[in-house]
Amino acid sequence: GYEETRALLDTWDKTTISSSLMGDGNVENPYQINSAADLAYFKENAQNMNGKFVKLMINVDMNQTNFMITTFEGTFDGQNHTIYNLRITTFVGGSSYEGAASGVGLFGHTHKNAVIKNVKIDGAVVSGNHYVGALVGYAYSSTIDSCAVSNAVVNVIINGATYTVEHEAGLFSGDDNTASYYFNPNVNTEITSV
């Protein structure tokens, strides 16, 4: 129930970053994120974890922090844990598309058969110009499976005007002409907004 969920919650202090993660990154012994500080370590080192396996072991409250994993090319299993209070309201990485903030989300870009599964996001505010989503900004050759986003506000800023997008853009975005992601809406994948 609620009390059990709150007992498994770690709130980030906005500064502490772990020095390493448990595990070795293979499928039998994946890297383990056991705290908000571990998630911060993963953010700083995700580009060096290509082809690695990572599991979220606890619910994490990002404490309204501007937080984005710029690029990931491995397997991230949230194990149905929730990341709360994510904020990306200032551009903090990703690529440039005509000078705009492109690929903005918890995972800015996923590539090369990346798998993001069993992740829940609750209470996100994400802003960018191009390819913006609460979970993944730009999914290219990626699998997004059994993920949920609730209470998300996704702002797409075009020529100085802000458009608040709900529903489809709340989870992820990609380019249908080049992306080959797998999105399975029948396996507890849902998008809700307020």
Side-chain angles (χ1 to χ4, degrees):
Y2 179 77
E3 293 302 320
E4 180 179 305
T5 299
R6 296 314 261 177
L8 300 173
L9 177 73
D10 188 37
T11 301
W12 196 34
D13 65 8
K14 301 185 181 187
T15 58
T16 304
I17 300 175
S18 297
S19 59
S20 64
L21 296 178
M22 291 178 58
D24 59 18
N26 66 37
V27 70
E28 295 85 20
N29 189 23
Y31 290 125
Q32 296 178 21
I33 296 173
N34 291 297
S35 67
D38 283 355
L39 186 60
Y41 175 88
F42 173 65
K43 171 191 177 272
E44 296 297 321
N45 294 280
Q47 291 181 331
N48 301 322
M49 296 183 181
N50 295 347
K52 299 296 184 180
F53 294 82
V54 181
K55 284 191 175 181
L56 182 62
M57 310 300 288
I58 190 170
N59 298 314
V60 177
D61 186 332
M62 293 314 297
N63 200 10
Q64 313 294 330
T65 303
N66 200 11
F67 188 93
M68 183 170 77
I69 300 157
T70 307
T71 302
F72 184 60
E73 298 177 357
T75 298
F76 186 92
D77 184 353
Q79 299 193 109
N80 294 313
H81 292 294
T82 302
I83 298 173
Y84 296 95
N85 300 316
L86 175 67
R87 296 290 181 268
I88 305 173
T89 56
T90 304
F91 184 53
V92 292
S95 66
S96 176
Y97 178 79
E98 298 177 8
S102 179
V104 180
L106 173 62
F107 293 90
H109 291 84
T110 58
H111 301 278
K112 298 182 181 174
N113 302 312
V115 176
I116 310 297
K117 62 183 180 178
N118 307 316
V119 179
K120 297 177 185 177
I121 294 179
D122 188 354
V125 176
V126 183
S127 301
N129 303 102
H130 188 65
Y131 298 121
V132 182
L135 181 64
V136 179
Y138 184 78
Y140 178 78
S141 296
S142 300
T143 300
I144 311 295
D145 193 15
S146 302
C147 295
V149 173
S150 57
N151 304 311
V153 176
V154 177
N155 298 306
V156 179
I157 304 163
I158 302 171
N159 296 325
T162 300
Y163 300 90
T164 300
V165 182
E166 298 176 0
H167 307 296
E168 287 80 10
L171 189 58
F172 72 96
S173 65
D175 186 339
D176 289 336
N177 295 323
T178 59
S180 60
Y181 50 78
Y182 172 68
F183 177 63
N184 187 347
N186 299 318
V187 189
N188 299 321
T189 301
E190 59 186 86
I191 305 161
T192 60
S193 328
V194 290

